[in-house]
Amino acid sequence: MGIATSRGVACDFQGPYSVGDRGRMAFGKPTRALQIDISSLRGGAEQWDKAVVEANNEYRTRMHNIFCDNCHSHVAYALNSMEIRAFGINNWDMVKLCFLVFCRGRFLSFGGFLAQFLPFGVLVLIVSLVKAM
């Protein structure tokens, strides 16, 4: 999971003490996106970018932890720093972001849809066929 600047440059917490902020995400191109309206954000795009840079700088000092301090936490930190309210949420955390993107995020392409769900579908098919034998 990552967050883009107002100019569309993707940033994500890629590992221990490492934040990608040049548009290249750790696991390839994004497959889903959730657009947040910043029209009500005090400071607008400038405030958005300032919070993203602040989150990037903070996460360059942190050890990555797959369960507790990860890319979702990085995005939540940025959203909390800018004090934005969107989708009825004003106190962001990694669990809320996970479910919000899963339920409300839009796929960026049909290939992105397949990349997310085809492996699971194949696994279910294999398990079903093995169980039927």
Side-chain angles (χ1 to χ4, degrees):
M1 176 176 284
I3 188 167
T5 65
S6 63
R7 292 176 294 293
V9 178
C11 304
D12 69 328
F13 186 34
Q14 298 181 343
Y17 316 109
S18 176
V19 175
D21 60 359
R22 295 194 172 122
R24 297 194 58 165
M25 297 184 72
F27 296 104
K29 294 179 180 179
T31 57
R32 280 188 179 185
L34 182 70
Q35 189 169 1
I36 296 178
D37 180 17
I38 64 168
S39 61
S40 64
L41 179 62
R42 262 190 342 260
E46 185 178 318
Q47 176 62 22
W48 179 275
D49 290 343
K50 181 181 171 189
V52 171
V53 168
E54 180 184 332
N56 291 349
N57 291 337
E58 173 63 28
Y59 274 77
R60 281 189 177 98
T61 68
R62 293 191 183 193
M63 175 59 85
H64 190 278
N65 180 313
I66 195 73
F67 296 110
C68 301
D69 205 9
N70 54 35
C71 55
H72 295 76
S73 305
H74 169 251
V75 173
Y77 185 97
L79 295 172
N80 285 328
S81 292
M82 64 183 77
E83 299 178 350
I84 192 164
R85 180 174 174 80
F87 304 100
I89 301 169
N90 61 350
N91 184 19
W92 299 87
D93 62 48
M94 62 185 199
V95 175
K96 291 174 188 171
L97 280 168
C98 174
F99 284 108
L100 186 63
V101 171
F102 187 80
C103 296
R104 304 276 308 260
R106 66 177 178 82
F107 286 98
L108 300 177
S109 67
F110 183 68
F113 173 82
L114 289 178
Q116 281 198 348
F117 292 111
L118 187 62
F120 177 71
V122 169
L123 180 67
V124 168
L125 181 64
I126 291 170
V127 169
S128 298
L129 289 174
V130 169
K131 190 174 181 180
M133 294 180 138

